[in-house]
Amino acid sequence: MENIQHLKVDKEPKETLAMDPMKFILWLFLVSIIMLFASQTSAYLVRRAEGNWLEFEMPRIFWYSTAVLIVSSLAMQWAYFSAKKDDFKSLKIAISITFVLGLAFLWMQFEGWKQLVAMNVYFVGNPSGSFFYVFTGLHGFHIISGIIVLIYAWRAVFKQKVHSKNLRQIQICATYWHFLDLLWLYLFVFLLTFN
């Protein structure tokens, strides 16, 4: 009898630690982005210490684009909370606002580059300007990838594949979007502090 009970205990499945493969890939990707920007900001500080550094005032549009990105992150969080509550109307509105504000952010960054050129700050010739273009360009590239992730989530939302029982896609989208927002805030403060 003891042997039978012992066998029953041994047949119970052991609990395993598992993570959604897509979320794991996302976190690996985020770590690689952090390492990329950490190396770039370190290079910025080293190059700045060497001298021959021309300072310039950041165009105001970068302040406005920062506000736009923060609002887009709030809209993304609204979308996530709406999905958890199966509030499909709010979910559609919130994810659409996030998408539009993401595009607005990109447009404002491009306008900021045009203002830099008008101030005679070019990609070549001024190390501080070069770094500024690299930082904003790399971040802009990642915003484009975030907009692509948003498009997939947006399509899933409008096909009603995102709801309280299926949050995976909106969670991945929200995590990436919030990360890009925090990354921009870091770069923005860094450039204001060390320009």
Side-chain angles (χ1 to χ4, degrees), residues 81-94:
F81 287 147
S82 297
K84 283 179 76 172
K85 293 189 247 176
D86 288 331
D87 182 354
F88 299 112
K89 182 179 178 186
S90 294
L91 174 58
K92 289 175 183 177
I93 292 168

Side-chain angles (χ1 to χ4, degrees), residues 4-194:
I4 292 172
Q5 286 179 338
H6 182 66
L7 288 174
K8 285 182 183 178
V9 172
D10 287 344
K11 288 185 179 180
E12 287 183 23
K14 293 182 180 178
E15 188 177 326
T16 59
L17 296 175
M19 183 176 201
D20 181 322
M22 291 304 291
K23 290 180 182 178
F24 182 71
I25 290 169
L26 173 66
W27 284 104
L28 284 178
F29 185 57
L30 297 184
V31 168
S32 69
I33 294 171
I34 289 169
M35 292 176 74
L36 171 68
F37 280 95
S39 68
Q40 292 300 309
T41 51
S42 296
Y44 180 99
L45 294 172
V46 169
R47 178 59 186 90
R48 185 174 184 263
E50 290 177 2
N52 188 24
W53 194 263
L54 303 173
E55 294 184 5
F56 59 91
E57 188 174 336
M58 185 186 302
R60 272 275 167 230
I61 197 161
F62 288 103
W63 289 81
Y64 304 138
S65 68
T66 301
V68 164
L69 197 59
I70 290 169
V71 173
S72 78
S73 204
L74 294 172
M76 185 72 244
Q77 195 61 32
W78 177 30
Y80 175 70
F81 287 147
S82 297
K84 283 179 76 172
K85 293 189 247 176
D86 288 331
D87 182 354
F88 299 112
K89 182 179 178 186
S90 294
L91 174 58
K92 289 175 183 177
I93 292 168
I95 201 160
S96 297
I97 289 171
T98 305
F99 177 75
V100 169
L101 291 176
L103 292 176
F105 176 82
L106 281 176
W107 175 78
M108 294 170 93
Q109 296 293 91
F110 182 72
E111 288 298 313
W113 280 6
K114 286 169 45 177
Q115 289 180 22
L116 287 171
V117 169
M119 295 165 48
N120 295 320
V121 177
Y122 301 104
F123 181 71
V124 177
N126 177 356
S128 61
S130 299
F131 272 105
F132 195 92
Y133 282 105
V134 168
F135 287 153
T136 55
L138 278 174
H139 184 264
F141 170 77
H142 287 97
I143 287 287
I144 291 169
S145 69
I147 287 174
I148 292 168
V149 171
L150 259 171
I151 289 170
Y152 280 101
W154 186 82
R155 285 182 65 221
V157 163
F158 277 81
K159 289 181 178 181
Q160 295 188 339
K161 292 181 179 178
V162 175
H163 47 77
S164 61
K165 304 243 186 296
N166 187 15
L167 294 171
R168 177 184 186 212
Q169 195 161 11
I170 198 83
Q171 286 172 334
I172 289 170
C173 186
T175 299
Y176 189 45
W177 198 256
H178 293 323
F179 171 79
L180 293 175
D181 188 11
L182 290 173
L183 178 62
W184 174 251
L185 289 174
Y186 163 73
L187 290 173
F188 183 72
V189 171
F190 179 86
L191 291 167
L192 280 177
T193 305
F194 295 106

